[in-house]
């Protein structure tokens, strides 16, 4: 017999109340919190429907962009738009959101399919970051902008205070884009070189290229994180004189 959202809430009420305490918010409709914890693999196996957290994740992504943007705008009113965007990108990306999810032990509360659970899905950055966004979406649906802003401010505020410069460097893709745009008026391209492993445990290899020159490569469990790793590798080998030998030759020609 397939489970329903209502039966899941009943079965998991103790854990849901515990998570409420961790995030510092009591839901009027706790089924919204439950929904944010349902991974698509669990929905496929146990619910027999598309009832999972991806729609709330979509909403939470937009709410995070708005709330983090507002916090940065208030914290650094004199900072230029480009730097604000870089800091926000360093915070609201897969690895950053997965780290936030770990801080509240979100993996403990996730509902995963058997295969995903067996492959350590509770530790995967892609799953954790999506669930964190879904929780923010649930907060917004239940308590409005104020509830979401309060949670995001409490979660991200200390990190923003700790290291503005470190955050800017953490978003390697934006840093690399900025360097190449400034010097050559062109940006890099990211190429998916390889995919390996089963569907529930994919590993992606991505290269970053500039004018057909490979500047760096990265491997990770999501394409986004592999791109960040590739950009980081490119920045590590980047020099002012020649980030890519072909680039100078073509520019001269």
């Amino acid at each position: 017999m397939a489970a329903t959202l209502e039966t899941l809430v009943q079965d998991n009420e103790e854990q849901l109340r515990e998570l409420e305490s961790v995030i510092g918010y009591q839901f009027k409709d706790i089924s919204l919190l439950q929904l944010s914890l349902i991974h698509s693999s669990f929905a496929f196996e146990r619910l027999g429907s598309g009832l999972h957290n991806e729609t709330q994740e979509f909403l939470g992504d937009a709410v995070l962009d708005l709330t983090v943007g507002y916090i940065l705008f208030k914290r650094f009113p004199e900072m230029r738009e480009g730097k604000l965007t870089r800091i926000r990108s360093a915070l609201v990306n897969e690895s950053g959101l997965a780290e936030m999810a770990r801080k509240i032990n979100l993996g403990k509360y996730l509902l995963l399919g058997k295969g995903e659970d067996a492959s350590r899905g509770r530790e995967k950055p892609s799953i954790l970051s999506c669930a964190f966004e879904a929780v923010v979406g649930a907060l917004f649906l239940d308590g409005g902008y104020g509830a979401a802003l309060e949670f995001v401010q409490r979660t991200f505020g200390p990190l923003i205070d700790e290291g503005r410069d470190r955050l800017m460097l953490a978003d390697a893709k934006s840093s690399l884009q900025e360097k190449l745009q400034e010097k050559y008026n062109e940006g890099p391209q990211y190429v998916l070189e390889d995919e390996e492993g089963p569907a529930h445990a994919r590993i992606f290899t991505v290269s970053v290229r500039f004018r057909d020159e490979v500047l760096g490569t990265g491997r990770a469990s999501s394409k986004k994180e592999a791109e960040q790793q590739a950009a980081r590798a490119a920045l590590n080998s980047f020099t002012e004189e020649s980030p890519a030998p072909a680039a100078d030759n073509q520019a001269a020609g």
Side-chain angles (χ1 to χ4, degrees):
M1 181 177 170
T4 66
L5 187 58
E6 290 73 22
T7 60
L8 287 175
V9 168
Q10 291 171 9
D11 292 344
N12 301 311
E13 185 175 4
E14 188 176 336
Q15 283 204 324
L16 291 171
R17 296 303 179 191
E18 182 180 293
L19 182 56
E20 280 186 324
S21 178
V22 171
I23 65 179
Y25 178 81
Q26 187 170 357
F27 279 79
K28 295 182 284 292
D29 181 2
I30 202 167
S31 67
L32 291 169
L33 180 59
Q34 179 66 87
L35 184 59
S36 70
L37 305 171
I38 299 174
H39 187 255
S40 56
S41 61
F42 181 91
F44 177 76
E45 289 181 16
R46 294 286 305 280
L47 300 177
S49 70
L51 194 66
H52 49 70
N53 65 5
E54 290 178 8
T55 304
Q56 281 187 189
E57 172 205 338
F58 167 79
L59 177 61
D61 178 60
V63 174
L64 274 168
D65 270 352
L66 176 60
T67 50
V68 172
Y70 175 74
I71 293 165
L72 292 172
F73 174 80
K74 296 292 284 185
R75 196 72 56 92
F76 308 118
E78 304 301 321
M79 188 177 286
R80 295 179 63 180
E81 179 266 346
K83 287 189 175 182
L84 290 170
T85 300
R86 283 177 60 192
I87 295 175
R88 183 175 63 183
S89 296
L91 289 164
V92 187
N93 62 27
E94 183 179 286
S95 58
L97 295 179
E99 185 57 34
M100 291 299 170
R102 291 187 191 99
K103 285 185 177 181
I104 61 173
N105 200 18
L106 194 57
K108 170 185 176 181
Y109 305 97
L110 297 178
L111 298 180
L112 305 176
K114 290 180 181 177
E116 195 64 76
D117 207 2
S119 64
R120 303 178 72 178
R122 295 177 193 281
E123 301 171 24
K124 290 181 182 177
S126 57
I127 291 177
L128 287 172
S129 61
C130 290
F132 187 88
E133 288 176 326
V135 168
V136 172
L139 283 164
F140 180 80
L141 288 169
D142 194 77
Y145 175 76
L149 177 62
E150 185 178 341
F151 172 71
V152 172
Q153 196 144 18
R154 192 167 61 250
T155 309
F156 286 91
L159 186 61
I160 293 169
D161 290 335
E162 277 172 19
R164 179 181 69 184
D165 296 334
R166 181 176 60 80
L167 286 167
M168 289 168 65
L169 290 173
D171 183 23
K173 283 184 68 176
S174 294
S175 297
L176 183 62
Q177 175 84 18
E178 191 174 279
K179 280 181 179 292
L180 293 175
Q181 282 285 154
E182 186 177 346
K183 191 165 186 181
Y184 300 102
N185 203 31
E186 289 182 42
Q189 289 185 317
Y190 293 86
V191 178
L192 179 62
E193 301 287 359
D194 191 29
E195 288 183 51
E196 53 189 299
H200 63 272
R202 270 280 194 259
I203 297 294
F204 301 91
T205 301
V206 172
S207 67
V208 57
R209 299 167 180 247
F210 183 72
R211 294 176 176 173
D212 296 323
E213 188 84 11
V214 175
L215 303 183
T217 59
R219 290 180 84 247
S221 59
S222 75
K223 283 185 271 191
K224 284 183 180 179
E225 182 58 29
E227 288 174 356
Q228 286 285 357
Q229 289 187 13
R232 214 166 284 129
L235 286 169
N236 287 339
S237 61
F238 189 96
T239 65
E240 285 299 322
E241 292 73 29
S242 179
D248 283 332
N249 293 337
Q250 290 187 31

